[in-house]
Amino acid sequence: MRIATWNVNSLRSRIDRVEAFLERHDVDVLALQETKAREDQLPLMGLQARGYDVAAHGIDQWNGVALVSRVGLSEVQVGFPGQPGWGETLKSEARAIGATCGGVRIWSLYVPNGRKPDDPHYVYKLDWLARLREASTEWLDAPTALVGDWNICPTDDDVFDPAQFRNSTHVTPAERAAFQAFLDGGWTEVTRSYAPGYTYWDYYRQRFERDRGLKIDFVLGSPSLAERVNGAFIDREERAGQGASDHAPVVVELAD
DNA sequence: ATGGTCGGCTTCCGA
C-alpha cells in the first residue's frame, strides 16, 4: 500500500495536478493539507469518478485538510480528542482529519504555523502539539500514521540556512522538543532514512531552483506501522514548473 | 532589517 502526504496549497487550484499525481505514483491514500476550501467547495467529482473516496474538513479559505483513498475510508473523525479551539484572534480551526483506510488509521495533520515565537499563534502551536501527543498515545497499539505538514524543522540539517532562521518559528528548541516528544513516546519518523532532502521551498527568490528549502513534512508511524515501511520518496518533480504547490508530496510504501 | 511570491470571499491577509 502506498500512502502520500502533500500540502497542496489550494485543492481547487491544483485538482488536475492531484489527479495526475495519484495515478503517476499509484497512490492508495493521499493526505492533503491547506486545501483552502470548505467541503462544499471541493472539486471531487473527478476523484470520485476515478474510484477514490474523499473525506475533507475546512471551514473557510484558510488551511483545511482532506483524505483521499481508493482502499476504503471509514471511521472519519474531524479533530482529535482534546484539540484546542481557537480564540477570538486566531484563524481557522480545520487542522486534523483521521480515517481508517486499508486497515491503517491515518491522520492528515496541518500543524499550526506559529508565525513568530512572540505571537499567540506560536503558543497555540505548542499547545496543539502537546494535546495531539497526549491523544495519540492511545493510537500506538494499532497501525497508525500521523502524516502531514508539521511546520517544524527537527534538526539544523532540515533548514537551508540555519543562521538565517535563528529565533524564527519552525526551528526553536521548544518546537523541536515538541516533535522529539512524539519520538520519545514511541512514534517513528519513517521517511527520512529513505528520502533525505527538503519538502518545502518558498515561492520567492527562486528557492526551489537553488534548493534552499525546509524539511517539514513527515510521516510518524506507530510500531506496527513503522515495521511495514519498506521505502519512501519525495516527489521533487511535482514542485517544479508553473502551477506547483510550494510543498512536494512525500510518498511511503508499506509492505502487505 | 527588508522583501521576495503565491492563493483567495484580493487592494490585504496568511504562508
Side-chain angles (χ1 to χ4, degrees):
Chain A
M1 181 161 84
R2 280 195 160 177
I3 301 173
T5 180
W6 188 10
N7 181 322
V8 72
N9 188 18
S10 170
L11 185 53
R12 280 176 290 175
S13 72
R14 256 174 282 286
I15 185 63
D16 293 346
R17 277 179 174 262
V18 168
E19 292 175 1
F21 164 77
L22 286 166
E23 302 202 349
R24 182 165 74 251
H25 293 300
D26 202 24
V27 167
D28 295 296
V29 184
L30 171 61
L32 293 161
Q33 301 88 35
E34 288 206 66
T35 51
K36 291 190 174 177
R38 303 184 311 267
E39 288 110 292
D40 61 288
Q41 296 177 308
L42 291 173
L44 305 179
M45 303 290 281
L47 289 172
Q48 288 162 347
R50 286 171 164 77
Y52 295 92
D53 294 326
V54 182
H57 184 57
I59 58 174
D60 53 30
Q61 74 270 40
W62 313 112
N63 307 310
V65 287
L67 287 163
V68 178
S69 172
R70 66 176 187 192
V71 291
L73 200 158
S74 60
E75 299 170 86
V76 175
Q77 188 176 345
V78 172
F80 51 84
Q83 179 174 333
W86 289 81
E88 291 284 313
T89 61
L90 306 179
K91 291 198 173 178
S92 187
E93 210 159 344
R95 300 282 183 176
I97 189 167
T100 301
C101 307
V104 176
R105 187 71 182 166
I106 300 175
W107 283 91
S108 179
L109 305 171
Y110 183 68
V111 174
N113 175 284
R115 299 191 183 184
K116 291 179 177 174
D118 61 357
D119 192 293
H121 289 82
Y122 177 86
V123 177
Y124 179 80
K125 177 182 194 174
L126 294 177
D127 186 28
W128 194 95
L129 285 162
R131 300 221 198 176
L132 173 64
R133 193 186 63 78
E134 284 177 28
S136 67
T137 58
E138 304 248 329
W139 313 334
L140 279 161
D141 292 338
T144 308
L146 310 180
V147 317
D149 179 355
W150 289 75
N151 273 318
I152 298 171
C153 302
T155 77
D156 276 355
D157 287 342
D158 303 322
V159 192
F160 69 88
D161 184 355
Q164 184 181 133
F165 275 77
R166 277 184 59 199
N167 304 319
S168 298
T169 183
H170 292 48
V171 306
T172 63
E175 289 164 282
R176 288 178 170 174
F179 187 86
Q180 182 63 37
F182 285 85
L183 309 185
D184 293 342
W187 297 93
T188 302
E189 204 294 306
V190 298
T191 69
R192 183 187 290 278
S193 62
Y194 294 102
Y198 305 131
T199 63
Y200 162 84
W201 301 259
D202 253 322
Y203 280 124
Y204 41 75
R205 291 197 169 182
Q206 296 187 300
R207 288 267 172 86
F208 178 69
E209 288 76 4
R210 297 153 65 203
D211 196 27
R212 293 168 72 78
L214 307 176
K215 193 175 187 67
I216 54 178
D217 299 273
F218 297 103
V219 175
L220 272 57
S222 65
S224 60
L225 186 292
E227 69 180 13
R228 286 172 57 186
V229 175
N230 54 23
F233 64 91
I234 299 163
D235 183 11
R236 288 179 60 105
E237 290 272 313
E238 179 53 53
R239 178 62 181 81
Q242 290 290 310
S245 168
D246 45 2
H247 291 248
V250 181
V251 183
V252 173
E253 177 86 29
L254 295 185
D256 296 335

